[in-house]
Every structure is written in structure tokens, then in C-alpha cells.
Amino acid sequence: ADNGQIVLNLDNSHADQLTITATENSSIKTGTSSAVQFSENAFVVTVTDVRGDDFIAGRNHELQIEAWKRDPATGECGLFTEYSGNLPLKAWLDVSDAHPSSAALPSITTTSAPVQLPSLSSAPAASNVTLAFSAGVASLQWISTDVGQYDFNVRDDSSGMVVNSSGQPL
């Protein structure tokens, strides 16, 4: 009577990608989902300078990146305080269709020097920035010389601190 629709409440204690298979009890009908992403670990980026959350073209901005993880005992997310050191990350910009084609892309400061962020539709093949984290927090400067519209992405799939249940990097 429901045309095969079902609502599931899924729970997973690891940040990974899973497929879900459901089989109906009264028949052999089975369905398998496409990949479902569970993101229990995340980077939270906030603007920390006096200008607040508004980015102003042509001005630099102070940012803070916090590494968060899900506590397996409580289920609550909070600061990943063990996430420390000079960590290699992948950082890139996903440029929107509304981004002016001639606009210069921003760069960010790192542990050594400013890094021009690449414009990509997915993560770069190799780590391209190193950020200094202390107890789950890193500060950086967003260096802007022009207008633009894009998403800032950061991924850690090489430090060994963000892994799935099999120990594989996420």
C-alpha cells in the first residue's frame, strides 16, 4: 500500500561512506541505496576578525578552523583536542557559476607561506597546505584582493587521525 517507501533512522559511529540494503520480510524484494555519507568528523570554519561573518572584497580576514568529532560514548560532537601538529591538508575552492571569470581567487596563510587556493570541483590529488593545529584549533588568514563567489573546502585524508573503523583515511 505504501508503494515500497520506507523511512529509516540510521546511526553510525564512524565518519565513512556506506550503502544500505533493505529486504522486505514477506518477499524477496531487496533495495540497495547509493552511497550514504556519514560525517561525524568535520572542520568548522569561523571568521574571527572584528568584521564578523561578512567577507569584504579586497580585505584580508582572520579565520579559525576547528576539528570536531563525535564522542562515541555520548554521541555529542565537540572539539577534537587530540588533533594537533603541523598537519597536511587538501584545500580548494569550488567556484560558483556567478563568480566573475576575471576575478582573482583568494589565498590563505599556512605554516610557511601564503598558498593560492586552486579552483576545483573536488579535492586536489595531494595535500597542498599545512596548518598548525593546537588542541583541535588552527588560525589562518584569508587573503583577498578581489570579489568572488565560491565555497572553501578543507579535507584531511592523510594525517591518520581521521579514519574509518578499518583504519583507512577519510
Side-chain angles (χ1 to χ4, degrees), residues 1-5 24:
D2 63 8
N3 291 322
Q5 293 182 359
E24 187 177 4

Side-chain angles (χ1 to χ4, degrees), residues 64-152:
Q64 180 174 285
I65 297 181
E66 295 178 335
W68 283 47
K69 72 173 185 174
R70 180 178 179 267
D71 185 305
T74 66
E76 297 296 318
C77 290
L79 197 59
F80 185 3
T81 56
E82 298 87 3
Y83 198 81
S84 292
N86 290 337
L87 300 174
L89 304 172
K90 295 176 180 177
W92 72 101
L93 299 172
D94 186 7
V95 177
S96 85
D97 292 339
H99 181 81
S101 61
S102 62
L105 294 174
S107 58
I108 60 171
T109 59
T110 66
T111 57
S112 58
V115 172
Q116 178 66 50
L117 295 169
S119 170
L120 303 169
S121 59
S122 61
S127 296
N128 60 340
V129 300
T130 300
L131 296 179
F133 280 85
S134 177
V137 179
S139 296
L140 60 102
Q141 189 174 51
W142 186 266
I143 303 168
S144 170
T145 60
D146 211 338
V147 298
Q149 187 174 16
Y150 35 75
D151 292 323
F152 174 46

